[in-house]
Structures are given as C-alpha cells and as structure tokens.
Amino acid sequence: MDYASLESSSKWRNLPPPPGFSKSNASSSKAPMKGSGSTATYDELKVKRAWDAALAPVKALPMQAFMLYMSGGGVQIFSMGIVFMLLLTPFKNLVGMNESFAQFAPTNSKNPKALTAVPLQKLVFIACNLLTLGVGLWKCKSMGLLPTGSGDWLAFETRGMVSEISLY
C-alpha cells in the first residue's frame, strides 16, 4: 500500500486537524531541546519519584494480603513460602534503602546515599515496610507459628515445691 497516495487524496485533506494539534509543534518536537528544564523542576520530579518509591511497599500490600488469604491458614509449604517472602522482603528493602533512594537525592547533595538525603520519604518507606512486616507477623500468629499462649511456654516453667504429700 502506498501511503503517499493517502496524503494527496481529497477525502483526507479536507478533514480539520484534531483539537490541540498544531503543525508547527509537531514538526519541532522531533528533536528534544537540551537545557530547557531547570534544576528546580528536575528536583521536584525527583521528589515525586521518591514519594512513589516510598509508597511502593504499601501499594504492593493488597496483592500480598490476597496471596496470604488464598494460601489458607494451615501450615503447608505454599503458605510457608508466602509468609517467608512477606517477612523477608521488608528486611531486604530496609538494607538497600540508601541505595534505592540515592537516585532521588537533590542535585546539590554531597552524599546521595546519606540518611539525610530525602529523610521524610525514607521515614515513610520504613513505616510502610514495618506495616508489611506486621501483616506477615499477624499471618504467623493466625497460623499458630508464634508462641502467644501460655501453653507455648510450658517447657520453660518450673514446678513449684509440693507443700504436702498424701500417702494412701
């Protein structure tokens, strides 16, 4: 098919351009201009992306909660794997926190991997990961894997001295 013939067709030539279309903008947007963005808008974009990264664990929480629900309450290999993943992920996230937020540090930052680079986003990131860890611990409690009852600690209790002995 020859697309050049569509251009010369009177059927398509008479159509008005779509709303917001400008021929001058379309031809000049082929090559991006360097230096057009200021560092302030670039830093604002970095802050927005840092907030997205900080809230990422909470955005993943509904899917993880659904996976926990579908795995059931019994102690099987599938449910144990999901719980292990849910408990391990926050620790892995917190260990690599400075590296993951280094790309969002302001351009004038001396040390982008410092804890003070984007502190509020990092605090929210820590809180979100602690929430994920709390959901994992709740699932462990509901599966009976955490020692929460008095019967779980019987091995550590000592017997008291018997005050009387009855011999019949």
Side-chain angles (χ1 to χ4, degrees), residues 17-29:
F21 178 77
S22 174
K23 226 174 191 183
S24 62
N25 288 344
S27 62
S28 66
S29 66

Side-chain angles (χ1 to χ4, degrees), residues 83-141:
V83 168
F84 179 73
M85 179 239 0
L86 192 65
L87 293 175
L88 185 66
T89 302
F91 292 111
K92 287 171 49 177
N93 286 344
L94 293 176
V95 166
M97 178 178 63
N98 287 332
E99 288 81 20
S100 63
F101 279 95
Q103 61 185 344
F104 305 121
T107 53
N108 59 359
S109 177
K110 294 177 184 174
N111 186 5
K113 290 187 180 180
L115 285 173
T116 58
V118 279
L120 190 58
Q121 288 88 349
K122 287 182 181 180
L123 286 175
V124 169
F125 185 73
I126 290 169
C128 294
N129 279 301
L130 289 178
L131 181 66
T132 304
L133 186 64
V135 169
L137 290 175
W138 170 79
K139 181 64 175 182
C140 286
K141 179 188 170 295

Side-chain angles (χ1 to χ4, degrees), residues 11-116:
K11 177 181 173 184
W12 302 108
R13 185 176 294 264
N14 296 333
L15 285 176
F21 178 77
S22 174
K23 226 174 191 183
S24 62
N25 288 344
S27 62
S28 66
S29 66
K30 291 183 180 181
M33 294 185 298
K34 292 185 178 183
S36 63
S38 67
T39 57
T41 57
Y42 186 62
D43 284 341
E44 290 173 10
L45 181 64
K46 280 185 173 183
V47 167
K48 287 180 185 178
R49 297 293 297 154
W51 277 114
D52 288 341
L55 295 174
V58 170
K59 291 178 182 177
L61 202 56
M63 178 52 90
Q64 291 172 341
F66 179 70
M67 288 171 54
L68 288 176
Y69 171 74
M70 292 303 289
S71 69
V75 182
Q76 294 101 12
I77 190 71
F78 183 69
S79 59
M80 291 300 295
I82 291 176
V83 168
F84 179 73
M85 179 239 0
L86 192 65
L87 293 175
L88 185 66
T89 302
F91 292 111
K92 287 171 49 177
N93 286 344
L94 293 176
V95 166
M97 178 178 63
N98 287 332
E99 288 81 20
S100 63
F101 279 95
Q103 61 185 344
F104 305 121
T107 53
N108 59 359
S109 177
K110 294 177 184 174
N111 186 5
K113 290 187 180 180
L115 285 173
T116 58

